[in-house]
Amino acid sequence: MIPMVDLKGQYLDIKDEIDQGLLQALEATQFILGPNVRAFEEEAAGYLGASHAVGCASGTDALHLALIAAGVGEGDEVITTPFTFIATAEAILYVGAKPVYVDIDEKSMNIDVNQIEDAITPKTRAILPVHLFGQPADMAVIQSIADKHNLVVVEDCAQSFGADIDGKQTGSMGIAGCFSFFPSKNLGCFGDGGLITTNDEKIAEHLRVLRNHGSWQRYHHSELGFNSRLDELQAVILRAKLKRIDQYNEGRRRVAHRYSAALAEMDGTTPPHEDGIGTHVYHQYTLLSAKRDQIMAALQAQQIACAVYYPIPLHQQEVFAEMCQGVSLPVTEKVASQCMSLPVYPELEDDKVDQILEVIRGAL
Ligand SMILES: *Cc1c(COP(=O)(O)O)cnc(C)c1O
């Protein structure tokens, strides 16, 4: 049996360090905004090349708080991709803004930067690109459009920890970068967790207030805030894994490149493109095939996990039935009908990858 991710293997590999760190944190009993959270924020900011990093309770909260701090609110429009996890759009709705979906580029599966300007209206306030599956979105073009139209860019980096464009990490380019440490993400903790990066000191300060009940000093509440802090115990785990993130991402790339080299030789599948924009860190390995259903059935019959991320684009979700009435985004709809993801994790051995490829070959 081959799963989509092997969280246990990754834990066992660094068990001593994690267990020790957790025991120390238990003894120290500084459970809220304790020393490990502060240390992790500093270490993550250093790794990501951002001036500030602010921990919070989840990737969803990271997006929510970042949009507030970026000044996005009631009546604003936020341009984003319809081909992402629902949380991207939830955060936009939480601040009272409206997601405006722009179709995707079939190769990168990220927002089609050539269609962004057509979607800008006087109400547009922000662009929210997602570095989907670990493939960086075209930030140079996105930022230049934003600058031209006086918009802010908030990056959804939930799937892209460690991905960079010409040495610049995702999350260090927009006004804020939003990360998730959901267990299955490239950098994952043992529960929920999130992080916001920014190079703007005022925004960083605002985020620290927002995540802590709108409080800059105990029992002084300057605005409506939230209880959204990164947990001290999760920070212990994240510190141990952050040290190894390059090695983890390298492992994912090894698996991905082995898949892609073999799939390129098979008719009937299109492997994911590394389109020259930055380094893909393969949070997911997602291919396209008109024969998706038969490939998936064959894999499942051999106890090999596979999944469809995402079968229903956001503009076709029931929650957006009214807001997106009549919206048609043909590339997204085609990709959603043909995409499927294969197991990809650093611990996946080459012979298992070959075994998966054999099953796919047989199914085509
Ligand atoms: C996982 C994910 C989120 C939300 O992160 P949580 O930590 O689960 O709240 C947001 N956006 C994208 C693209 C994601 O994959």
mmCIF file of all heavy atoms in Angstrom, residues 298-322:
data_model
loop_
_atom_site.group_PDB
_atom_site.id
_atom_site.type_symbol
_atom_site.label_atom_id
_atom_site.label_comp_id
_atom_site.label_asym_id
_atom_site.label_seq_id
_atom_site.Cartn_x
_atom_site.Cartn_y
_atom_site.Cartn_z
ATOM 1 N N ALA A 298 -7.103 1.840 -11.740
ATOM 2 C CA ALA A 298 -6.001 0.868 -11.746
ATOM 3 C C ALA A 298 -5.102 1.051 -10.526
ATOM 4 O O ALA A 298 -4.670 0.081 -9.899
ATOM 5 C CB ALA A 298 -5.190 1.017 -13.035
ATOM 6 N N LEU A 299 -4.812 2.300 -10.179
ATOM 7 C CA LEU A 299 -3.969 2.563 -9.007
ATOM 8 C C LEU A 299 -4.665 2.079 -7.731
ATOM 9 O O LEU A 299 -4.055 1.408 -6.892
ATOM 10 C CB LEU A 299 -3.650 4.059 -8.901
ATOM 11 C CG LEU A 299 -2.695 4.613 -9.972
ATOM 12 C CD1 LEU A 299 -2.683 6.139 -9.942
ATOM 13 C CD2 LEU A 299 -1.278 4.080 -9.770
ATOM 14 N N GLN A 300 -5.930 2.406 -7.624
ATOM 15 C CA GLN A 300 -6.668 2.018 -6.420
ATOM 16 C C GLN A 300 -6.728 0.494 -6.271
ATOM 17 O O GLN A 300 -6.623 -0.028 -5.163
ATOM 18 C CB GLN A 300 -8.075 2.638 -6.420
ATOM 19 C CG GLN A 300 -8.050 4.098 -5.990
ATOM 20 C CD GLN A 300 -9.181 4.947 -6.575
ATOM 21 O OE1 GLN A 300 -10.025 4.440 -7.319
ATOM 22 N NE2 GLN A 300 -9.193 6.223 -6.253
ATOM 23 N N ALA A 301 -6.842 -0.189 -7.402
ATOM 24 C CA ALA A 301 -6.885 -1.662 -7.357
ATOM 25 C C ALA A 301 -5.574 -2.230 -6.817
ATOM 26 O O ALA A 301 -5.549 -3.331 -6.261
ATOM 27 C CB ALA A 301 -7.162 -2.210 -8.756
ATOM 28 N N GLN A 302 -4.486 -1.483 -6.965
ATOM 29 C CA GLN A 302 -3.177 -1.934 -6.439
ATOM 30 C C GLN A 302 -2.866 -1.279 -5.090
ATOM 31 O O GLN A 302 -1.704 -1.280 -4.676
ATOM 32 C CB GLN A 302 -2.065 -1.569 -7.439
ATOM 33 C CG GLN A 302 -2.199 -2.194 -8.802
ATOM 34 C CD GLN A 302 -2.197 -3.710 -8.752
ATOM 35 O OE1 GLN A 302 -1.380 -4.302 -8.058
ATOM 36 N NE2 GLN A 302 -3.126 -4.334 -9.459
ATOM 37 N N GLN A 303 -3.858 -0.717 -4.437
ATOM 38 C CA GLN A 303 -3.668 -0.067 -3.126
ATOM 39 C C GLN A 303 -2.700 1.111 -3.203
ATOM 40 O O GLN A 303 -1.938 1.345 -2.257
ATOM 41 C CB GLN A 303 -3.121 -1.055 -2.090
ATOM 42 C CG GLN A 303 -3.829 -2.364 -2.086
ATOM 43 C CD GLN A 303 -4.817 -2.432 -0.929
ATOM 44 O OE1 GLN A 303 -5.410 -1.425 -0.519
ATOM 45 N NE2 GLN A 303 -5.004 -3.612 -0.396
ATOM 46 N N ILE A 304 -2.696 1.781 -4.328
ATOM 47 C CA ILE A 304 -1.861 2.970 -4.464
ATOM 48 C C ILE A 304 -2.781 4.186 -4.396
ATOM 49 O O ILE A 304 -3.732 4.293 -5.171
ATOM 50 C CB ILE A 304 -1.087 2.960 -5.802
ATOM 51 C CG1 ILE A 304 -0.113 1.768 -5.823
ATOM 52 C CG2 ILE A 304 -0.354 4.276 -6.021
ATOM 53 C CD1 ILE A 304 0.452 1.458 -7.196
ATOM 54 N N ALA A 305 -2.480 5.075 -3.458
ATOM 55 C CA ALA A 305 -3.339 6.241 -3.274
ATOM 56 C C ALA A 305 -3.195 7.198 -4.452
ATOM 57 O O ALA A 305 -2.129 7.303 -5.070
ATOM 58 C CB ALA A 305 -2.984 6.957 -1.975
ATOM 59 N N CYS A 306 -4.292 7.894 -4.763
ATOM 60 C CA CYS A 306 -4.265 8.978 -5.741
ATOM 61 C C CYS A 306 -5.474 9.849 -5.421
ATOM 62 O O CYS A 306 -6.338 9.428 -4.667
ATOM 63 C CB CYS A 306 -4.305 8.444 -7.178
ATOM 64 S SG CYS A 306 -5.661 7.300 -7.488
ATOM 65 N N ALA A 307 -5.496 11.063 -5.947
ATOM 66 C CA ALA A 307 -6.566 11.975 -5.560
ATOM 67 C C ALA A 307 -6.762 13.033 -6.632
ATOM 68 O O ALA A 307 -5.866 13.259 -7.458
ATOM 69 C CB ALA A 307 -6.223 12.646 -4.230
ATOM 70 N N VAL A 308 -7.932 13.676 -6.593
ATOM 71 C CA VAL A 308 -8.183 14.779 -7.513
ATOM 72 C C VAL A 308 -8.215 16.089 -6.719
ATOM 73 O O VAL A 308 -9.086 16.307 -5.887
ATOM 74 C CB VAL A 308 -9.523 14.596 -8.264
ATOM 75 C CG1 VAL A 308 -9.795 15.818 -9.129
ATOM 76 C CG2 VAL A 308 -9.474 13.338 -9.119
ATOM 77 N N TYR A 309 -7.202 16.906 -6.933
ATOM 78 C CA TYR A 309 -7.163 18.278 -6.393
ATOM 79 C C TYR A 309 -7.201 19.212 -7.586
ATOM 80 O O TYR A 309 -6.222 19.243 -8.322
ATOM 81 C CB TYR A 309 -5.906 18.561 -5.588
ATOM 82 C CG TYR A 309 -5.591 17.562 -4.531
ATOM 83 C CD1 TYR A 309 -4.464 16.752 -4.632
ATOM 84 C CD2 TYR A 309 -6.417 17.405 -3.415
ATOM 85 C CE1 TYR A 309 -4.155 15.839 -3.641
ATOM 86 C CE2 TYR A 309 -6.111 16.484 -2.425
ATOM 87 C CZ TYR A 309 -4.981 15.699 -2.546
ATOM 88 O OH TYR A 309 -4.671 14.786 -1.577
ATOM 89 N N TYR A 310 -8.291 19.863 -7.898
ATOM 90 C CA TYR A 310 -9.543 19.940 -7.179
ATOM 91 C C TYR A 310 -10.648 19.594 -8.167
ATOM 92 O O TYR A 310 -10.636 20.143 -9.284
ATOM 93 C CB TYR A 310 -9.728 21.349 -6.631
ATOM 94 C CG TYR A 310 -8.635 21.672 -5.608
ATOM 95 C CD1 TYR A 310 -7.455 22.307 -5.995
ATOM 96 C CD2 TYR A 310 -8.775 21.294 -4.271
ATOM 97 C CE1 TYR A 310 -6.450 22.567 -5.058
ATOM 98 C CE2 TYR A 310 -7.770 21.568 -3.339
ATOM 99 C CZ TYR A 310 -6.619 22.195 -3.753
ATOM 100 O OH TYR A 310 -5.627 22.431 -2.855
ATOM 101 N N PRO A 311 -11.579 18.754 -7.791
ATOM 102 C CA PRO A 311 -12.573 18.295 -8.769
ATOM 103 C C PRO A 311 -13.588 19.375 -9.160
ATOM 104 O O PRO A 311 -14.079 19.367 -10.283
ATOM 105 C CB PRO A 311 -13.274 17.140 -8.047
ATOM 106 C CG PRO A 311 -13.028 17.381 -6.582
ATOM 107 C CD PRO A 311 -11.711 18.098 -6.489
ATOM 108 N N ILE A 312 -13.884 20.289 -8.240
ATOM 109 C CA ILE A 312 -14.875 21.345 -8.534
ATOM 110 C C ILE A 312 -14.229 22.705 -8.314
ATOM 111 O O ILE A 312 -13.878 23.060 -7.201
ATOM 112 C CB ILE A 312 -16.122 21.210 -7.623
ATOM 113 C CG1 ILE A 312 -16.687 19.794 -7.703
ATOM 114 C CG2 ILE A 312 -17.168 22.262 -7.988
ATOM 115 C CD1 ILE A 312 -17.772 19.518 -6.675
ATOM 116 N N PRO A 313 -14.046 23.485 -9.396
ATOM 117 C CA PRO A 313 -13.458 24.813 -9.229
ATOM 118 C C PRO A 313 -14.361 25.702 -8.367
ATOM 119 O O PRO A 313 -15.566 25.449 -8.256
ATOM 120 C CB PRO A 313 -13.381 25.361 -10.657
ATOM 121 C CG PRO A 313 -13.736 24.243 -11.569
ATOM 122 C CD PRO A 313 -14.413 23.186 -10.780
ATOM 123 N N LEU A 314 -13.763 26.730 -7.793
ATOM 124 C CA LEU A 314 -14.520 27.530 -6.824
ATOM 125 C C LEU A 314 -15.740 28.207 -7.438
ATOM 126 O O LEU A 314 -16.778 28.311 -6.793
ATOM 127 C CB LEU A 314 -13.611 28.575 -6.169
ATOM 128 C CG LEU A 314 -12.456 28.005 -5.350
ATOM 129 C CD1 LEU A 314 -11.772 29.109 -4.538
ATOM 130 C CD2 LEU A 314 -12.905 26.876 -4.434
ATOM 131 N N HIS A 315 -15.638 28.647 -8.703
ATOM 132 C CA HIS A 315 -16.787 29.367 -9.282
ATOM 133 C C HIS A 315 -17.977 28.431 -9.507
ATOM 134 O O HIS A 315 -19.080 28.886 -9.772
ATOM 135 C CB HIS A 315 -16.397 30.075 -10.588
ATOM 136 C CG HIS A 315 -16.050 29.151 -11.715
ATOM 137 N ND1 HIS A 315 -14.868 28.447 -11.757
ATOM 138 C CD2 HIS A 315 -16.732 28.804 -12.843
ATOM 139 C CE1 HIS A 315 -14.836 27.714 -12.860
ATOM 140 N NE2 HIS A 315 -15.958 27.914 -13.537
ATOM 141 N N GLN A 316 -17.729 27.113 -9.401
ATOM 142 C CA GLN A 316 -18.834 26.151 -9.561
ATOM 143 C C GLN A 316 -19.284 25.570 -8.224
ATOM 144 O O GLN A 316 -20.129 24.668 -8.185
ATOM 145 C CB GLN A 316 -18.409 25.028 -10.504
ATOM 146 C CG GLN A 316 -18.165 25.538 -11.930
ATOM 147 C CD GLN A 316 -17.758 24.431 -12.887
ATOM 148 O OE1 GLN A 316 -17.091 23.476 -12.502
ATOM 149 N NE2 GLN A 316 -18.172 24.563 -14.140
ATOM 150 N N GLN A 317 -18.725 26.062 -7.135
ATOM 151 C CA GLN A 317 -19.134 25.579 -5.812
ATOM 152 C C GLN A 317 -20.485 26.178 -5.436
ATOM 153 O O GLN A 317 -20.775 27.325 -5.749
ATOM 154 C CB GLN A 317 -18.084 25.985 -4.753
ATOM 155 C CG GLN A 317 -16.752 25.286 -4.917
ATOM 156 C CD GLN A 317 -16.783 23.813 -4.518
ATOM 157 O OE1 GLN A 317 -17.757 23.348 -3.912
ATOM 158 N NE2 GLN A 317 -15.734 23.089 -4.866
ATOM 159 N N GLU A 318 -21.252 25.392 -4.703
ATOM 160 C CA GLU A 318 -22.589 25.824 -4.309
ATOM 161 C C GLU A 318 -22.555 27.151 -3.547
ATOM 162 O O GLU A 318 -23.428 28.004 -3.723
ATOM 163 C CB GLU A 318 -23.205 24.731 -3.429
ATOM 164 C CG GLU A 318 -24.706 24.748 -3.424
ATOM 165 C CD GLU A 318 -25.271 23.624 -2.566
ATOM 166 O OE1 GLU A 318 -24.621 22.549 -2.470
ATOM 167 O OE2 GLU A 318 -26.348 23.843 -1.982
ATOM 168 N N VAL A 319 -21.533 27.319 -2.701
ATOM 169 C CA VAL A 319 -21.463 28.532 -1.885
ATOM 170 C C VAL A 319 -21.348 29.785 -2.761
ATOM 171 O O VAL A 319 -21.704 30.884 -2.342
ATOM 172 C CB VAL A 319 -20.319 28.424 -0.845
ATOM 173 C CG1 VAL A 319 -18.978 28.197 -1.514
ATOM 174 C CG2 VAL A 319 -20.231 29.653 0.045
ATOM 175 N N PHE A 320 -20.891 29.620 -4.004
ATOM 176 C CA PHE A 320 -20.771 30.762 -4.909
ATOM 177 C C PHE A 320 -21.847 30.770 -5.998
ATOM 178 O O PHE A 320 -21.726 31.505 -6.972
ATOM 179 C CB PHE A 320 -19.386 30.769 -5.570
ATOM 180 C CG PHE A 320 -18.283 31.109 -4.615
ATOM 181 C CD1 PHE A 320 -17.325 30.174 -4.271
ATOM 182 C CD2 PHE A 320 -18.209 32.368 -4.036
ATOM 183 C CE1 PHE A 320 -16.311 30.485 -3.382
ATOM 184 C CE2 PHE A 320 -17.207 32.688 -3.143
ATOM 185 C CZ PHE A 320 -16.256 31.749 -2.814
ATOM 186 N N ALA A 321 -22.882 29.956 -5.818
ATOM 187 C CA ALA A 321 -23.895 29.813 -6.873
ATOM 188 C C ALA A 321 -24.427 31.174 -7.334
ATOM 189 O O ALA A 321 -24.553 31.425 -8.533
ATOM 190 C CB ALA A 321 -25.033 28.921 -6.385
ATOM 191 N N GLU A 322 -24.695 32.050 -6.375
ATOM 192 C CA GLU A 322 -25.273 33.336 -6.735
ATOM 193 C C GLU A 322 -24.211 34.284 -7.296
ATOM 194 O O GLU A 322 -24.383 34.877 -8.353
ATOM 195 C CB GLU A 322 -25.902 33.954 -5.492
ATOM 196 C CG GLU A 322 -27.139 34.776 -5.814
ATOM 197 C CD GLU A 322 -27.858 35.129 -4.522
ATOM 198 O OE1 GLU A 322 -28.300 34.185 -3.812
ATOM 199 O OE2 GLU A 322 -27.934 36.326 -4.219
#
